[in-house]
Amino acid sequence: MSGKRTVTVTLDGSNKSTTLPLLSGTLGPDVFDIRKMYNDIGVFTFDPGYGITASCDSKITFIDGDEGVLLYRGYPIEQLAEKSTFLEVCYLLLNGDLPSPQEFRNFEAGVMRHNMLHEQIRQFYNGFRRDAHPMAVMCGVIGALSAFYHDSLDVNDPESRRISAFRLIAKVPTIAAWAYKYNIGQPFMYPKNGYSYAENFLYMFHAVPPEDYKMNPVLARAMDLIMILHADHEQNASTSTVRLAGSTGANPFACIAAGVASLWGPAHGGANEAVLKMLTEIGHVKNIPAFLEDVKDRNNHAKLMGFGHRVYKNYDPRAKIIQKACHDVLAELGIKDDPLLDLAMELEKIALNDKYFVDRKLYPNVDFYSGIILKAMGFPTSMFTALFAVSRTVGWVSQWKEMMEDPGQRIGRPRQIYTGAPQRDYVPIAQRA
Ligand code: ACO
């Protein structure tokens, strides 16, 4: 980060002013470094929702929202989606560069060695209701890992951090698949080494003990692709939640559980579940205009789910990739006409030509099509966000690790504009009217 240029802020009506360095990253807009502003002129900054505030510097992921660009460690998402695998992307996100063949073999073996859950965790599942949402189970079980792996909780020890990273990435598919098996009352399937990461998830999710499981390579590739597309997305709400929790020195299992909770909301990772619900409610192409009128009516709280993004003011590059994968998967499964896909494509076409969405630069995001592909692959809607959490765990862990390795790291502690009552004196209850 260079800081040769400056900006001077003068407080109107006073003789106070401050000169702030203007910092430049490798890509993206410059940022004012406001850290000394309060000391110099006694004011804070106000940016609810952190629309234009950089909360950290990071080398992991870059998004250009106007151009629709997404890079992991500098590599375009389109190239990784076409040529890489999820586990290789995990290595890249965690370590900064693509692995050599030997580095990859070691990494893969490390992840596979950690994919079982402590046997005692099986009992933990019995505490949930059978109809527990998989995200509720994931919040609980991931947080509970802190109670099982005391040997890797020292956040200041690089080796502990490395082992925790392996444990989290390796165990989340098992946790998510078991949440589903528990829902439907089937036996838990233990991970099986020899399968890839994505294959293993499909196996634990779909297989049952009495039958041999036949892996479909097209579906396995689609699963791997979905995982790559969701692996990281810079300082989004759940990642910022993980960083904020981690900034206190909390252990990584607790921090990732916080990230899962933050991802759950329909404005974030919960949107893929909400898209499918919305498409089912619309029901038919002929109902699209009335639905869009509802969305545009400011008295309604309805949103076109799967559309819009804080950063992308252009087509989300992940949405383009997933839309194509959707067609491949449906073709593989012999689904010639999927009414939901047809409806989604028509809805997208109409919305992209509607002044409301054009003026606000609202384009489909990754969630618009991910639900359709996941449904075709046999996942119930309740699993969609859980699958997102499985894929995003590597991003959360990489961002947490980067933060913990930063010597300048401080506890995250935003300020506020206080708009409550000014100071006043307590009145005993008997004297109050
Ligand atoms: N449908 C209808 N109107 C929308 C939508 C939408 N999906 N998204 C934004 N708008 C409107 C807002 O009402 C606002 O209108 P106004 O200027 O008349 O007040 C304008 O567009 C700007 O939107 P903001 O809410 O300011 O955008 P913000 O960056 O705060 O929100 C968000 C981004 C939360 C993603 C929003 O677009 C949304 O709720 N989308 C639907 C949910 C969704 O798909 N989320 C997944 C995001 S991707 C991910 O997390 C993986």
Side-chain angles (χ1 to χ4, degrees):
M1 283 190 301
S2 64
K4 286 197 182 117
R5 289 183 302 153
T6 56
V7 61
T8 300
V9 177
T10 305
L11 203 59
D12 276 358
S14 80
N15 57 0
K16 290 182 180 169
S17 86
T18 182
T19 299
L20 306 171
L22 194 59
L23 307 180
S24 305
T26 324
L27 298 166
D30 291 342
V31 298
F32 297 139
D33 179 351
I34 56 169
R35 280 176 288 186
K36 70 189 188 79
M37 197 159 93
Y38 178 68
N39 266 352
D40 288 357
I41 61 173
V43 298
F44 294 148
T45 54
F46 183 55
D47 181 21
Y50 311 112
I52 58 159
T53 296
S55 60
C56 61
D57 59 281
S58 177
K59 295 183 171 58
I60 302 175
T61 294
F62 173 76
I63 303 173
D64 182 334
D66 294 324
E67 297 298 324
V69 171
L70 169 60
L71 311 176
Y72 292 166
R73 299 285 190 181
Y75 295 101
I77 191 66
E78 292 82 359
Q79 290 182 24
L80 294 170
E82 191 192 332
K83 298 176 181 160
S84 187
T85 62
F86 180 67
L87 220 47
E88 188 181 54
V89 165
C90 287
Y91 183 98
L92 175 69
L93 288 170
L94 271 171
N95 299 294
D97 283 307
L98 289 168
S100 68
Q102 186 57 46
E103 284 168 337
F104 183 71
R105 275 193 293 278
N106 293 346
F107 181 73
E108 189 177 38
V111 171
M112 293 314 183
R113 208 173 32 239
H114 289 96
N115 57 15
M116 286 195 300
L117 297 178
H118 191 294
E119 206 45 25
Q120 199 68 19
I121 292 179
R122 280 187 74 105
Q123 317 302 324
F124 203 79
Y125 279 77
N126 293 332
F128 289 100
R129 277 172 51 142
R130 281 282 170 194
D131 60 355
H133 193 286
M135 286 295 277
V137 176
M138 289 190 76
C139 285
V141 177
I142 293 176
L145 295 180
S146 331
F148 288 86
Y149 300 107
H150 294 144
D151 60 333
S152 67
L153 296 186
D154 180 358
V155 296
N156 297 314
D157 172 34
E159 185 56 13
S160 282
R161 292 200 295 264
R162 195 186 67 80
I163 294 174
S164 292
F166 271 112
R167 284 183 167 149
L168 277 156
I169 294 164
K171 291 179 200 306
V172 280
T174 316
I175 294 172
W178 284 15
Y180 170 68
K181 290 294 190 190
Y182 184 73
N183 277 168
I184 60 168
Q186 283 185 0
F188 294 157
M189 298 301 290
Y190 286 86
K192 198 168 181 171
N193 291 353
Y195 281 143
S196 74
Y197 190 91
E199 286 171 343
N200 211 355
F201 181 72
L202 290 177
Y203 167 77
M204 289 188 288
F205 187 85
H206 288 301
V208 285
E211 285 174 13
D212 286 337
Y213 181 69
K214 197 166 174 309
M215 188 65 64
N216 179 324
V218 175
L219 300 191
R221 175 63 194 136
M223 187 78 262
D224 199 73
L225 176 75
I226 291 167
M227 288 176 165
I228 292 174
L229 296 181
H230 288 88
D232 194 44
H233 214 225
E234 53 122 297
Q235 308 312 319
N236 55 80
S238 56
T239 302
S240 300
T241 304
V242 170
R243 279 190 178 254
L244 204 53
S247 77
T248 69
N251 77 69
F253 304 107
C255 296
I256 303 305
V260 174
S262 172
L263 186 75
W264 196 353
H268 192 11
N272 52 15
E273 194 175 333
V275 167
L276 223 67
K277 191 163 167 279
M278 171 189 78
L279 292 174
T280 311
E281 277 167 14
I282 297 173
H284 194 276
V285 171
K286 71 175 177 1
N287 300 326
I288 292 177
F291 170 75
L292 288 182
E293 285 316 307
D294 269 357
V295 165
K296 292 187 281 182
D297 181 350
R298 296 194 65 96
N299 297 318
N300 275 330
H301 291 293
K303 284 240 158 92
L304 175 50
M305 300 311 286
F307 256 66
H309 197 274
R310 169 59 60 79
V311 182
Y312 291 120
K313 302 302 168 197
N314 198 329
Y315 220 106
D316 178 340
R318 303 167 302 172
K320 274 190 193 151
I321 299 170
I322 218 161
Q323 189 200 37
K324 181 180 173 304
C326 234
H327 289 288
D328 295 348
V329 164
L330 294 179
E332 168 66 18
L333 295 172
I335 304 172
K336 289 208 175 58
D337 282 311
D338 179 52
L340 283 184
L341 181 60
D342 295 344
L343 185 60
M345 286 174 57
E346 191 58 23
L347 183 56
E348 176 189 338
K349 200 161 79 190
I350 296 175
L352 288 179
N353 287 298
D354 187 304
K355 190 173 175 332
Y356 174 95
F357 296 93
V358 173
D359 286 354
R360 289 168 178 75
K361 297 188 177 166
L362 300 171
Y363 289 85
N365 59 51
V366 68
D367 288 321
F368 194 67
Y369 286 104
S370 64
I372 296 169
I373 193 169
L374 292 173
K375 179 173 175 285
M377 290 170 73
F379 293 105
T381 39
S382 62
M383 275 303 291
F384 293 178
T385 314
L387 255 161
F388 192 157
V390 169
S391 320
R392 181 55 60 82
T393 295
V394 65
W396 292 329
V397 169
S398 304
Q399 300 266 354
W400 170 81
K401 191 168 154 286
E402 181 180 68
M403 181 184 72
M404 297 312 293
E405 287 166 2
D406 177 357
Q409 184 265 325
R410 299 171 75 197
I411 186 169
R413 197 340 183 153
R415 296 293 193 152
Q416 62 170 12
I417 300 183
Y418 174 68
T419 54
Q423 183 170 332
R424 48 187 168 163
D425 289 326
Y426 178 83
V427 179
I429 192 161
Q431 292 168 27
R432 283 175 237 153

